[in-house]
Amino acid sequence: MTTLRLTRRHCLQAAGVFAAALALGPRSLSAQTAARTVKLGVGLKSLNASVINLLIGEALGYNAAEGFTVKGMAVGGNANVQVAVDRGDVDIGIGVPSYALPILAKGEWGEAINFYQYTYPYKWDVAVKPGAAIKAYTDLKGKNIGVSDFGGTEYPVTRNVLKNMGIDPDRDVKWTAVGSGVPAGVALQRGAIDALAYYDTGFGLIEGAGIPFDILTRPTGLPMIGGQFLMALRDRVKNERALMVGFGRAAAKSSAFLLANPTAGAKAFLKLYPETAPRGSSEEEAVKAVLVAISRRVKLYQAPYDGYKFGQINPDEFTTEMALNGMEAKDLSRFYTNDLIADINAFDVAAIKAQAMAYNG
């Protein structure tokens, strides 16, 4: 049985992987040269629509309005993002608590801080072949569960869900890494695994490939864990506050835009990253593929908590996840901040919605 234990030392050892990672930059649609290029580290092997609300501000003018242009860098894994942020190789990275909280609990947390929650819980599910005997999470005991890889967020999160139900994720199930996207769906379709644990946009890619599957009904009392965040070095957040606020505001505007008109958002994304379209597809087919991929994700751009603004962080998510894993951190103040949220949300949401509805690509 393969298990994953991540320490800060492991993160630093991943630096060699980061050095060889794929870095993709968008094709800028504006003739205007922004004052600053912001390097965004993403824990993917290649950029895709799962981070659409962090990228389309380039096409919509939101980044230029804040004085920057973004360079999305797919560095291959969440541990690599942590390394890149700690070393200053990227300006901003996507923070994933399932990897960061164990480091915090050991007292080994570095100089990064999460300042904006760009997608909220809960985005993971378990799928089975249509007509399978597995009908509920309780039926997963003794089964072989596929994940994209053991560095993917679905692995620790699904382990926590099973543990919360009284199923030992080490003894009661088998875990198999089956690859990302369509290969994961093929593994399920061919019976190489009994079930597939994955996240929303991943299932969208499988659905877009025409591979059928059934999603198991989520158990009651699902822990609200697994949000994803923007993080940067504390000194950068302090000394380059305007830039960090600007990046967060561009992400918030892009989120509002997508919530108002996902089709327009898909068109903007494809203008930036046409290489992500299915090979040989028409524009209409390419837009549809993006929409299928993001349909579950877009609704998670808004917090599931009353009165929360775009990007506002609920620390209860951290304490809940730590409790599930027998961990504790007495002080979260070095791990997250909401100090930028009010300034990030200083924009006219109605105007962004109107722009979205009028957008023609």
Side-chain angles (χ1 to χ4, degrees):
M1 183 68 60
T2 303
T3 58
L4 182 64
R5 295 181 60 192
L6 186 69
T7 66
R8 184 169 177 78
R9 181 176 298 175
H10 293 150
C11 281
L12 293 174
Q13 290 172 342
V17 178
F18 167 70
L22 174 64
L24 293 176
R27 304 178 183 180
S28 177
L29 301 183
S30 172
Q32 177 183 359
T33 301
R36 169 75 180 271
T37 296
V38 174
K39 292 179 288 185
L40 172 68
V42 181
L44 298 169
K45 294 180 180 179
S46 61
L47 293 183
N48 61 47
S50 64
V51 289
I52 187 173
N53 63 327
L54 304 182
L55 298 175
I56 63 171
E58 194 75 14
L60 300 175
Y62 304 153
N63 296 356
E66 302 294 342
F68 73 90
T69 184
V70 66
K71 180 180 182 181
M73 302 177 67
V75 301
N78 296 311
N80 296 340
V81 176
Q82 190 72 59
V83 171
V85 171
D86 287 344
R87 290 175 45 154
D89 292 328
V90 299
D91 301 298
I92 296 172
I94 292 180
V96 179
S98 57
Y99 294 95
L101 290 174
I103 302 172
L104 179 69
K106 292 177 181 293
E108 299 174 355
W109 184 248
E111 296 302 314
I113 191 165
N114 296 287
F115 65 89
Y116 182 95
Q117 188 160 0
Y118 87 90
T119 178
Y120 290 89
Y122 182 86
K123 62 181 68 65
W124 295 270
D125 282 292
V126 175
V128 296
K129 291 175 63 175
I134 301 172
K135 302 298 182 183
Y137 276 62
T138 51
D139 297 331
L140 293 171
K141 190 172 184 178
K143 302 301 182 183
N144 183 5
I145 304 176
V147 293
S148 63
D149 62 60
F150 294 120
T153 54
E154 69 272 16
Y155 177 60
V157 171
T158 307
R159 285 174 57 87
N160 278 332
V161 171
L162 295 179
K163 185 185 298 184
N164 197 45
M165 298 176 62
I167 297 175
D168 190 319
D170 292 316
R171 295 185 177 90
D172 294 339
V173 297
K174 177 183 178 182
W175 301 92
T176 301
V178 294
S180 302
V182 175
V186 171
L188 180 66
Q189 187 178 44
R190 293 180 176 176
I193 51 177
D194 300 310
L196 175 65
Y198 213 8
Y199 52 85
D200 50 359
T201 53
F203 281 124
L205 293 173
I206 296 170
E207 186 177 1
I211 299 174
F213 57 85
D214 290 334
I215 296 288
L216 298 181
T217 300
R218 292 175 178 176
T220 58
L222 196 69
M224 291 298 286
I225 59 174
Q228 293 178 307
F229 302 80
L230 297 179
M231 65 176 172
L233 292 173
R234 271 187 293 275
D235 283 348
R236 288 191 173 183
V237 173
K238 178 182 178 181
N239 299 328
E240 302 178 70
R241 178 186 173 90
L243 178 66
M244 298 300 167
V245 168
F247 192 95
R249 187 181 293 137
K253 287 180 177 179
S254 297
S255 299
F257 186 100
L258 284 156
L259 283 162
N261 191 345
T263 299
K267 290 180 179 179
F269 178 78
L270 289 167
K271 292 288 185 181
L272 292 167
Y273 300 98
E275 68 275 10
T276 63
R279 184 175 300 176
S281 61
S282 65
E283 180 181 0
E284 182 180 358
E285 291 168 336
V287 169
K288 182 179 179 181
V290 174
L291 289 174
V292 170
I294 68 172
S295 61
R296 296 175 175 88
R297 175 65 59 92
V298 170
K299 66 187 72 175
L300 301 179
Y301 294 155
Q302 289 184 314
Y305 316 113
D306 291 340
Y308 270 54
K309 299 178 180 179
F310 281 112
Q312 187 171 346
I313 298 169
N314 184 349
D316 288 347
E317 293 180 17
F318 305 141
T319 54
T320 296
E321 186 163 349
M322 296 186 83
L324 282 173
N325 290 281
M327 300 182 299
E328 182 181 2
K330 295 181 180 179
D331 183 11
L332 289 170
S333 64
R334 292 179 60 82
F335 189 71
Y336 87 99
T337 180
N338 278 317
D339 290 348
L340 279 61
I341 297 302
D343 289 341
I344 285 173
N345 282 271
F347 66 92
D348 187 344
V349 176
I352 299 298
K353 291 180 177 179
Q355 179 193 6
M357 298 313 297
Y359 185 81
N360 292 317

